C-alpha cells in the first residue's frame, strides 16, 4: 500500500490537476470526522505545549529547523489513523519515520516536487490528507504561503512547515537547547537527546510555553516511548541510572 501510495502521488503531480491527485489518493486518506472532533492527538509529552492538548484541525504549525520534532509531533495522529504527507523532504527516511511512531502504510512522500508546482502539490494534499509536512522552498511567495494556510483552514487539515514560514502561524515550536546523551570518554553510543522546546503563536497559543523533553527517550531503543517529558533540570540529567 505504501509503495503504491507514493507512486500514485509522484505520477499524478506532473499533470498538476488537484482533482486528479485527489482521485489518485482515493479520497479515502482522511477518515470521516465528527464536527466535534477538531483536535488530532499528539504524544502525551507534547500536550503541555499545545492549546487543547493536540493539533487543532485547520491550523498552521511552524516547526523551526527540527524534522525529528515535527515527526514526533505528528506520530499520535498517524497512530490514531490519520494520513501524513511529507513534501520536499528527500532526506526523510522511512526508518526514522517508523522510529518516531508514524504508520508507514499511511505515509505519503513527495520528495522532489518541482518548484513551479510546489504550492499546487501542497494544496492538493491538504484537500485529502489530515497532516501535511513541508519544507518550504527558497523564494516561496508570501501570497502562496497565505493561500496554503487558508486551504488548511478550509479543509480542516494541519499544515506543518519546517523552517522559515513568511506568514504568521497559529502555533510555532522551536528547539532552544539540545544535548545528546550516551557517549563517554571515547566510547559508547548516542542513546537519547535532551531538548528544550518553546511554543508560542496566536490566539490560545499567545502565552509562551516551555517543556523539557527526551527526543528520543532513553527507552526508545528498547521499544519504549520515542518522546517523553523530562523534568526541568539545574543540570542535564544523568541517563545512566535510568
Amino acid at each position: 500500500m505504501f509503495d503504491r501510495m507514493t507512486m500514485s502521488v509522484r505520477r499524478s503531480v506532473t499533470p498538476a490537476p488537484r482533482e486528479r491527485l485527489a482521485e489518485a489518493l482515493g479520497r479515502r486518506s482522511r477518515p470521516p470526522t465528527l464536527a466535534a472532533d477538531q483536535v488530532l492527538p499528539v504524544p502525551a509529552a507534547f500536550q503541555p505545549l499545545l492549546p487543547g492538548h493536540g493539533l487543532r484541525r485547520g491550523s498552521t504549525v511552524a516547526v523551526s529547523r527540527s524534522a525529528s520534532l515535527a515527526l514526533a509531533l505528528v506520530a499520535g495522529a498517524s497512530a490514531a489513523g490519520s494520513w501524513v504527507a511529507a513534501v520536499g523532504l528527500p532526506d526523510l527516511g522511512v526508518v526514522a519515520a517508523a522510529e518516531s511512531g508514524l504508520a508507514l502504510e499511511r505515509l505519503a512522500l513527495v520528495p522532489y516536487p518541482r518548484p513551479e508546482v510546489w504550492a499546487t502539490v501542497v494544496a492538493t494534499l491538504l484537500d485529502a490528507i489530515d497532516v501535511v509536512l513541508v519544507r518550504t522552498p527558497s523564494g516561496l511567495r508570501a501570497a502562496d504561503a497565505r493561500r496554503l494556510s487558508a486551504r488548511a483552514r478550509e479543509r480542516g487539515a494541519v499544515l506543518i512547515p519546517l523552517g522559515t514560514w513568511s506568514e504568521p502561524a497559529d502555533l510555532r515550536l522551536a528547539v532552544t537547547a539540545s544535548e545528546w546523551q550516551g557517549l563517554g570518554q571515547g566510547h559508547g553510543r548516542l542513546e537519547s537527546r535532551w531538548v528544550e522546546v518553546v511554543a508560542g503563536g496566536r490566539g490560545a497559543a499567545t502565552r509562551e510555553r516551555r517543556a523539557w523533553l527526551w527526543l528520543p527517550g532513553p527507552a526508545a531503543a528498547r521499544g519504549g516511548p520515542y518522546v517523553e517529558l523530562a523534568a526541568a533540570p539545574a543540570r542535564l540529567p544523568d541517563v545512566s541510572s535510568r
Side-chain angles (χ1 to χ4, degrees):
M1 163 100 44
F2 170 67
D3 291 339
R4 291 198 298 271
M5 179 69 183
T6 304
M7 293 173 65
S8 298
V9 173
R10 289 174 177 169
R11 284 198 297 264
S12 303
V13 165
T14 302
R18 296 179 181 173
E19 294 80 5
R20 188 171 302 174
L21 180 53
E23 183 179 355
L25 294 171
R27 294 192 182 275
R28 65 184 183 276
S29 49
R30 179 177 296 147
T33 304
L34 299 175
D37 183 17
Q38 295 300 311
V39 177
L40 296 176
V42 296
F46 286 108
Q47 292 180 7
L49 288 165
L50 308 181
H53 305 298
L55 293 172
R56 181 171 57 82
R57 288 184 178 274
S59 63
T60 297
V61 180
V63 176
S64 176
R65 299 185 302 275
S66 178
S68 60
L69 179 64
L71 288 176
L73 181 66
V74 305
S78 177
S82 292
W83 277 79
V84 175
V87 181
L89 294 162
D91 52 347
L92 173 61
V94 294
V95 173
E99 289 177 347
S100 301
L102 272 71
L104 297 184
E105 66 272 18
R106 291 188 296 275
L107 175 64
L109 300 176
V110 189
Y112 295 105
R114 298 201 310 273
E116 64 270 22
V117 298
W118 186 92
T120 299
V121 170
V122 175
T124 303
L125 290 168
L126 289 169
D127 286 348
I129 286 181
D130 277 328
V131 182
V132 181
L133 302 174
V134 300
R135 179 169 290 152
T136 54
S138 60
L140 178 69
R141 297 182 302 172
D144 287 334
R146 188 162 51 250
R147 278 194 290 267
L148 290 173
S149 289
R151 173 66 58 137
R153 189 163 53 249
E154 293 166 2
R155 300 301 187 183
V158 179
L159 175 63
I160 303 183
L162 275 68
T164 302
W165 188 248
S166 58
E167 288 299 294
D170 299 293
L171 180 67
R172 290 185 179 273
L173 297 176
V175 172
T176 56
S178 173
E179 182 163 326
W180 281 95
Q181 303 290 301
L183 286 180
Q185 294 295 322
H187 63 86
R189 59 190 296 271
L190 296 175
E191 295 177 347
S192 55
R193 184 172 63 135
W194 176 90
V195 299
E196 182 188 35
V197 179
V198 176
R202 303 187 296 178
T206 300
R207 180 175 63 86
E208 184 180 275
R209 307 178 187 211
R210 292 174 179 264
W212 287 263
L213 308 177
W214 290 112
L215 180 70
R222 302 187 298 275
Y226 185 79
V227 56
E228 300 178 73
L229 274 173
R235 59 183 179 82
L236 289 176
D238 179 9
V239 299
S240 61
S241 60
R242 296 186 58 183

